[in-house]
């Protein structure tokens, strides 16, 4: 008996691939990995500018703290000196907000003319937004402590606290998203990663791709005349043109339900998993693969093409 092994051309496929996308827009400040490096799921790959996100987190934290203080004052009532302190805080924040907006207006002109970096302008804009939010919170606090506490006001303040807490969680998530992380474990693929520092990423823009390593997928174009010998779970061997002296072991995991037209006749796509612990096979590489079939007398295996010709072609000629 001799084992028949049908063969066909194969191409290496990525077993899994995922895009690394920017979840927030910003300038790339730091790249932490290089192309070809193997990373783990969740590992930091790059960081974009976070000045504005940090400012929003700080503003949300200050707003929440102020609302907690307002609630405490409403619940126990405010003293005269506390009202005076609140008025002084409002006056101070009004001056601070005017100064911050004036600074932002001055820097936006310098930014458009290329005199300052986008990071400096974003920092000034974030500071102005924080100061305006703090002023609004201070005014609300003053109005609350000057008014007698009522059940409606207590409920409204508690609702504002819940809104501020939700906003703080959202801004913290945005700050975390300024760090781009690997969605899966694998090898980093990118032809522009080494030049990414300083470039601007829109939200959703792809910085790199991660491709899983270890077992690789391959697609074999098996001639229709041999597909009858192929079974799922059958052992397979593959040799790539890049490594002609190395045989990679594999296994059949799927057989296409329909045949495709190829240059030399009909073929059926067969998918294999190939063991490649050293990561030598690259996506797109080609070669030949053999799949273990049944055992037959040696004379049948070596004259199989002739037998098939007689059993199909010659049979069709018979009246």
């Amino acid at each position: 008996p001799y084992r028949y092994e049908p063969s066909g051309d194969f191409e290496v496929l990525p077993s899994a691939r995922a895009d690394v996308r920017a979840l927030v827009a910003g300038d790339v400040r730091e790249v932490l990995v290089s192309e070809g490096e193997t990373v783990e799921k969740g590992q930091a790959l790059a960081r974009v500018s976070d000045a504005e996100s940090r400012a929003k987190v700080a503003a949300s934290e200050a707003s929440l703290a102020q609302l907690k203080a307002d609630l405490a004052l409403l619940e126990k009532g405010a003293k005269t000196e506390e009202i005076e302190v609140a008025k002084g805080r409002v006056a101070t924040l009004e001056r601070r907000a005017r100064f911050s907006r004036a600074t932002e207006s001055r820097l936006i002109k310098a930014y458009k003319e290329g005199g300052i970096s986008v990071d400096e302008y974003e920092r000034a804009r974030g500071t102005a937004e924080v100061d305006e939010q703090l002023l609004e919170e201070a005014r609300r606090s003053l109005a609350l402590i000057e008014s007698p506490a009522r059940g409606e006001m207590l409920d409204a303040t508690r609702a504002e606290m819940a809104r501020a807490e939700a906003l703080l969680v959202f801004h913290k998530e945005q700050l975390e998203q300024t760090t781009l992380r690997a969605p899966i474990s694998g090898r980093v693929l990118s032809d522009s990663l080494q030049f990414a520092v300083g470039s601007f990423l829109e939200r959703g823009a792809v910085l790199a791709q991660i491709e899983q390593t270890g077992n690789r997928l391959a697609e074999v174009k098996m001639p229709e005349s041999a597909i009858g010998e192929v079974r799922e779970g059958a052992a397979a061997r593959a040799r790539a043109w890049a490594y002609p002296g190395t045989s990679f072991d594999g296994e059949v995991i799927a057989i296409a339900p329909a045949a495709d037209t190829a240059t030399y006749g009909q073929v059926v796509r067969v998918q294999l998993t190939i063991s490649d612990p050293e990561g030598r096979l690259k996506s797109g590489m080609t070669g030949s693969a053999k799949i273990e079939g049944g055992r037959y007398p040696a004379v049948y295996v070596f004259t199989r093409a002739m037998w098939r010709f007689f059993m199909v072609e010659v049979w069709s000629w018979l009246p």
Side-chain angles (χ1 to χ4, degrees), residues 18 72 85 95 99 114 137 140 182 307:
V85 168
R95 292 191 296 270
F99 176 78
E137 296 295 336
R140 186 185 300 113
W307 278 100

Side-chain angles (χ1 to χ4, degrees), residues 164-227:
E165 287 172 347
L167 194 61
L168 176 59
V169 171
F170 172 71
H171 286 155
K172 284 184 175 180
E173 288 178 354
Q174 281 196 315
L175 179 59
E176 171 62 24
Q177 289 170 356
T178 59
T179 299
L180 279 66
R181 300 185 180 276
I184 60 174
S185 299
R187 185 185 297 111
V188 179
L189 303 178
S190 175
D191 58 356
S192 59
L193 190 63
Q194 59 181 326
F195 307 113
V197 175
S199 61
F200 184 82
L201 292 179
E202 296 286 354
R203 181 176 180 180
V206 177
L207 177 67
Q209 292 181 322
I210 307 296
E211 184 178 272
Q212 280 188 349
T213 55
N215 283 354
R216 304 303 302 267
L217 291 180
E219 186 176 82
V220 184
K221 291 182 171 60
M222 190 63 63
E224 64 172 334
S225 60
I227 198 64

Side-chain angles (χ1 to χ4, degrees), residues 2-300:
Y2 190 90
R3 183 177 295 281
Y4 175 61
E5 292 182 317
S7 64
D9 297 333
F10 84 91
E11 179 180 353
V12 178
L13 306 174
S15 54
R17 180 179 289 179
D19 293 334
V20 180
R21 296 182 179 273
L23 300 179
V24 293
D27 289 333
V28 179
R29 290 286 180 245
E30 188 178 10
V31 174
L32 306 174
V33 296
S34 56
E35 185 180 15
E37 186 174 337
T38 300
V39 297
E40 297 297 326
K41 181 179 180 179
Q43 181 177 334
L45 307 180
R47 294 189 176 94
V48 300
S49 55
D50 60 359
E52 186 175 356
S53 296
R54 289 185 182 279
K56 288 180 177 179
V57 169
S60 296
E61 289 175 339
S63 176
L64 182 59
Q66 184 63 56
L67 286 168
K68 288 180 178 179
D70 293 344
L71 182 61
L73 286 172
L74 283 172
E75 289 174 341
K76 70 178 183 179
K79 299 177 182 178
T80 303
E81 55 268 27
E82 291 174 332
I83 294 176
E84 293 302 319
V85 168
K87 288 180 178 179
R89 186 167 185 270
V90 169
T92 299
L93 289 175
E94 284 176 343
R95 292 191 296 270
R96 180 173 168 180
R98 285 196 299 269
F99 176 78
S100 297
R101 277 303 174 193
T103 301
E104 182 195 8
S105 299
R106 185 174 68 255
L107 290 182
I108 190 173
K109 183 178 179 181
Y111 168 66
K112 290 179 178 179
E113 295 175 352
I116 63 171
S117 67
V118 64
D119 198 34
E120 292 175 296
Y121 168 64
E122 286 182 353
R123 192 179 299 112
R125 186 177 65 176
T127 300
E129 290 178 355
V130 169
D131 289 344
E132 284 193 352
Q133 188 169 347
L134 292 176
L135 174 59
E136 184 62 28
E137 296 295 336
R139 286 172 175 167
R140 186 185 300 113
S141 176
L142 177 59
L144 287 172
I145 63 177
E146 284 182 328
S147 304
R150 298 193 304 270
E152 296 84 356
M153 296 179 66
L154 290 170
D155 292 341
T157 304
R158 293 189 182 103
E160 280 293 315
M161 280 183 57
R163 185 189 69 84
E165 287 172 347
L167 194 61
L168 176 59
V169 171
F170 172 71
H171 286 155
K172 284 184 175 180
E173 288 178 354
Q174 281 196 315
L175 179 59
E176 171 62 24
Q177 289 170 356
T178 59
T179 299
L180 279 66
R181 300 185 180 276
I184 60 174
S185 299
R187 185 185 297 111
V188 179
L189 303 178
S190 175
D191 58 356
S192 59
L193 190 63
Q194 59 181 326
F195 307 113
V197 175
S199 61
F200 184 82
L201 292 179
E202 296 286 354
R203 181 176 180 180
V206 177
L207 177 67
Q209 292 181 322
I210 307 296
E211 184 178 272
Q212 280 188 349
T213 55
N215 283 354
R216 304 303 302 267
L217 291 180
E219 186 176 82
V220 184
K221 291 182 171 60
M222 190 63 63
E224 64 172 334
S225 60
I227 198 64
E229 297 292 331
V230 178
R231 299 287 185 273
E232 290 189 17
R237 292 176 296 147
R239 289 196 178 187
W241 290 110
Y243 308 104
T246 303
S247 182
F248 296 90
D249 294 331
E251 181 180 330
V252 176
I253 60 171
I255 302 172
D260 299 323
T261 302
T263 305
Y264 300 105
Q266 299 294 103
V267 296
V268 178
R269 291 174 289 107
V270 177
Q271 199 169 85
L272 313 176
T273 57
I274 297 180
S275 178
D276 181 27
E278 298 178 4
R280 289 184 291 176
L281 295 176
K282 316 297 182 187
S283 298
M285 282 187 173
T286 59
S288 293
K290 289 187 175 184
I291 299 173
E292 285 191 357
R295 289 184 175 275
Y296 302 95
V299 64
Y300 169 78

